[in-house]
Amino acid sequence: MSAAYPFSAIVGLADLRLALVLNAVSPAVGGVLVRGEKGTAKSTMVRALAGQLPEVAVVPGCRFSCDPASPDGQCPDGPHDPAIAGTARAARLVELPVGASEDRLAGSLDIERALTEGVKAYEPGLLAAAHRGVLYVDEVNLLHDHLVDLLLDAAAMGTSHVEREGVSVRHAARFLLVGTMNPEEGELRPQLLDRFGLTVEVAASREPRERAEVVRRRLAYEADPGAFAARWAHEDADLAERILRARTLLADVLLPDAELERIARVCASFEVDGMRADLVTARTSIALAAWHGRTEVTAEDVRQAALLALPHRRRRNPFDAPGLDEEHLDEALRDPDEPEPEPEPEPEPEGDGPDGGGSPPPDVDGSDGSGNAARAPERTEAAPTSAPGTEDAPVEGAPTASGGGPEQAAVAAAEPYRTRLFAVPGVGQGAAGRRSRARTASGRTTGSQVAAGRVTRLHVAATVRAAALHQKARGRTGAGLLLRRADLREAVREGREGNLVLFVVDASGSMAARKRMRAVKGAVLSLLLDAYQRRDKVGLVTFRGADASLVLPPTSSVEIGAARLAALPTGGRTPVGAGLLRAHETLRVERLRDPLRRPLVVVVTDGRATGGRDALGESRRAARLLAATGAASLVVDCESGPVRLGLAARLAGDLGGPVVTLDELAADGLAGLVRDVRSVA
């Protein structure tokens, strides 16, 4: 939908509308994070918000939107003459693309002109353009780490600092940060998540009439955008006027001590980290009171503010879904002296049976007296999958997996733990992350190269060395250094990249022992947690029965990987070869989509191959085929018991990677294991 789509014409999404309006009333609330499935008008509503924001007064000609009433004393375009009258313009909505460069966000200096002409020429970036407006990041969870760091600094300090080889520029950058994201594509870093004042979960309506109204308005807009906008112009104008009135009233709103203590009690009850939650809840409560035309915050304002400000601050690990228990919230909101509400009385039983119930007891023969057999009570507890001491025994009568052999129900994973670092060998050029060595835009300087195109990372020493050889030929007579374009050298920097970690998990009958599978799932969950922290993409292939399945196509959402792992059943034969071939095909397709992201294949198995006349030979041939692609690999040996065949180690040899046991995954001995991965691969 176009940015000109009227704000008042958007159907539903009441919580999102309120969160955006409250930030328009009080930018100090700190922005909004909008989480939800695709196709729910998240971006449309955010872009439509710009038309409802009050105009801002700016100094004419200032590229940094200085307020004429209090201009920035360190503005690069300053100092500003206080006698100059300001001009009014609409508040800006500036969009930050996910693939933007650091220079595009923070601005950049023209290093060539600075060195060759002595001119300090600075080109403002998106942070300057968003000052006193809205900075909108669509798919904010996919933003690169170096851009996230810049956003965090600017959001915390209200200023942007640009440092380029001894030249420093600083300007004000206070903006309303609004981000939208689809949780299926991965979560945000906790530091950036906490910077958003409010969060809202959105989903498409399941009400047919409301869905029909959405389509009706969309079609009307496409048929005649001008007429559609004119139809809603009056409602939009009323909304903008109400926002302006609330802004004017904001300074007169009183937050009583009783309500402030209520806010502190709620935040403490939910055990949120730090004090930002308390501040945001207080500011949101004040904005709510102003929005409703009141001059004093009430308990209901605090409750509504908590529902918007606390859900995303409740997460304790990456696999926790944001949310708030409203019963717990109501309990925390209640005054200490207020008596607890009386429990609701149970409804009186109906009917006139001898025990007061609606049905007489069944007869001895199992009938209910009417000729019908009485229904046996439903069992509420799951039947045990094995007798004590026989964990490997299948469930009697359980459905069988394809390929034969009984299928067992999914078991819960053991508690995750911190794992060792498994890195891909060599130096890559993939997306910034925290796993393997790579040439990146940020990191430590390891060398220099001849500059190609615009110079953004000047290597001063290398540039001086290149120019020094030609000073006599260029006729230098003074103290200055004579530079040419060909002398400029760019710094080559090395940092860390994120990889594609593809898990290939054995879910066959040989892994079906409940204690063993619990440990295996705990190990994979731990590796998934490590992948989240290192900004990797993850995929999950499982094999059992007669075939292998791509349970989770490569994605940035480790939460989905954890959910698929939790629901994974076991049973059947062990087609190791099929699992490796499915991994080979998955990597082939992924290379076409993202050729710079290097893979790490993690095979979790005991190495036993069954299911055919030459199952072991097939698995070894598939392993060699996968190794021929150059993919780094790791085998996690799940074999247990006093007699061990060592088949997982042989598989690791065919794959060209190391093998570790479940007990060796823990973080002790990190450096030695990283050397093993690199030397073998």
Side-chain angles (χ1 to χ4, degrees), residues 63-64 76-77 103 106-125 162-164 167-169 454-455:
R63 297 174 298 168
F64 301 88
D77 285 354
D103 294 334
S108 61
L109 294 166
D110 192 331
I111 298 176
E112 280 189 60
R113 293 188 63 193
L115 291 176
T116 59
E117 303 175 25
V119 177
K120 189 167 104 174
Y122 173 69
E123 185 66 26
V162 182
E163 305 287 344
R164 292 290 188 276
V167 183
S168 177
V169 173
R454 185 177 182 183
V455 182

Side-chain angles (χ1 to χ4, degrees), residues 159-175:
T159 58
S160 174
H161 292 270
V162 182
E163 305 287 344
R164 292 290 188 276
E165 305 298 342
V167 183
S168 177
V169 173
R170 173 218 162 273
H171 64 82
R174 291 182 294 275
F175 47 82

Side-chain angles (χ1 to χ4, degrees), residues 249-250 252-259 285-286 288-290 292-302:
L249 184 62
L250 196 66
D252 298 326
V253 176
L254 174 66
L255 177 61
D257 287 344
E259 301 308 324
S285 301
I286 293 171
L288 273 164
H292 292 297
R294 290 185 268 101
T295 56
E296 186 170 313
V297 172
T298 66
E300 182 57 31
D301 293 330
V302 173

Side-chain angles (χ1 to χ4, degrees), residues 125-150:
L126 297 177
L127 289 177
H131 179 48
R132 304 177 66 201
V134 180
L135 181 62
Y136 171 49
V137 190
D138 194 12
E139 306 295 350
V140 64
N141 50 324
L142 304 182
L143 203 62
H144 289 296
D145 277 1
H146 65 286
L147 298 182
V148 170
D149 292 337
L150 286 174

Side-chain angles (χ1 to χ4, degrees), residues 59-84:
V59 173
C62 178
R63 297 174 298 168
F64 301 88
S65 303
C66 279
D67 187 349
S70 56
D72 183 6
Q74 296 182 332
C75 176
D77 285 354
H80 299 298
D81 186 353
I84 297 180

Side-chain angles (χ1 to χ4, degrees), residues 13-363:
L13 308 182
D15 287 345
L16 177 54
R17 290 169 62 91
L18 179 62
L20 291 173
V21 164
L22 292 178
N23 274 273
V25 171
S26 176
V29 166
V32 186
L33 174 64
V34 188
R35 299 165 46 92
E37 58 194 22
K38 53 188 176 291
T40 49
K42 300 186 298 292
S43 300
T44 301
M45 184 167 280
V46 173
R47 293 187 177 104
L49 172 69
Q52 312 308 311
L53 298 177
E55 292 185 336
V56 294
V58 297
V59 173
C62 178
R63 297 174 298 168
F64 301 88
S65 303
C66 279
D67 187 349
S70 56
D72 183 6
Q74 296 182 332
C75 176
D77 285 354
H80 299 298
D81 186 353
I84 297 180
T87 60
R89 64 161 174 79
R92 290 175 180 159
L93 175 74
V94 177
E95 295 193 39
L96 171 60
V98 169
S101 65
E102 181 178 332
D103 294 334
R104 183 72 186 101
L105 177 60
S108 61
L109 294 166
D110 192 331
I111 298 176
E112 280 189 60
R113 293 188 63 193
L115 291 176
T116 59
E117 303 175 25
V119 177
K120 189 167 104 174
Y122 173 69
E123 185 66 26
L126 297 177
L127 289 177
H131 179 48
R132 304 177 66 201
V134 180
L135 181 62
Y136 171 49
V137 190
D138 194 12
E139 306 295 350
V140 64
N141 50 324
L142 304 182
L143 203 62
H144 289 296
D145 277 1
H146 65 286
L147 298 182
V148 170
D149 292 337
L150 286 174
L151 274 182
L152 289 175
D153 290 341
M157 298 183 296
T159 58
S160 174
H161 292 270
V162 182
E163 305 287 344
R164 292 290 188 276
E165 305 298 342
V167 183
S168 177
V169 173
R170 173 218 162 273
H171 64 82
R174 291 182 294 275
F175 47 82
L176 169 60
L177 181 61
V178 180
T180 56
M181 60 174 282
N182 184 346
E184 294 178 357
E185 297 171 343
E187 283 292 345
L188 274 176
R189 281 174 54 183
Q191 296 93 329
L192 183 57
L193 187 65
D194 191 49
R195 292 293 177 185
F196 287 97
L198 311 179
T199 185
V200 178
E201 294 276 348
V202 298
S205 172
R206 299 296 184 259
E207 172 58 43
R209 291 186 179 181
E210 192 167 89
R211 294 174 70 96
E213 183 62 22
V214 171
V215 175
R216 187 178 296 112
R217 293 188 187 182
R218 175 60 183 174
L219 294 177
Y221 173 77
E222 291 176 348
D224 191 343
F228 185 80
R231 173 187 170 189
W232 294 96
H234 180 69
E235 286 82 352
D236 273 5
D238 289 345
L239 179 61
E241 184 179 348
R242 185 178 174 186
I243 291 173
L244 190 58
R245 287 199 306 269
R247 274 196 177 187
T248 305
L249 184 62
L250 196 66
D252 298 326
V253 176
L254 174 66
L255 177 61
D257 287 344
E259 301 308 324
L260 181 56
E261 290 178 5
R262 193 189 306 273
I263 291 170
R265 191 164 60 247
V266 168
C267 293
S269 174
F270 281 102
E271 299 180 350
V272 296
D273 296 330
M275 297 296 297
R276 184 172 285 116
D278 304 63
L279 289 169
V280 171
T281 307
R283 290 167 179 162
T284 307
S285 301
I286 293 171
L288 273 164
W291 173 246
H292 292 297
R294 290 185 268 101
T295 56
E296 186 170 313
V297 172
T298 66
E300 182 57 31
D301 293 330
V302 173
R303 185 183 192 280
Q304 199 163 12
L307 288 172
L308 295 172
L310 298 185
H312 59 304
R313 296 183 167 91
R314 284 280 300 136
R315 299 181 72 199
R316 285 293 175 263
N317 66 65
F319 307 131
D320 289 342
L324 212 61
D325 184 346
E326 294 199 31
E327 290 186 6
H328 184 184
L329 175 62
D330 291 334
E331 183 179 343
L333 285 167
R334 193 168 55 247
D335 291 323
D337 300 332
E338 182 181 339
E340 293 189 9
E342 293 289 337
E344 294 184 5
E346 295 184 2
E348 291 292 334
E350 297 179 359
D352 53 1
D355 58 352
S359 302
D363 294 337

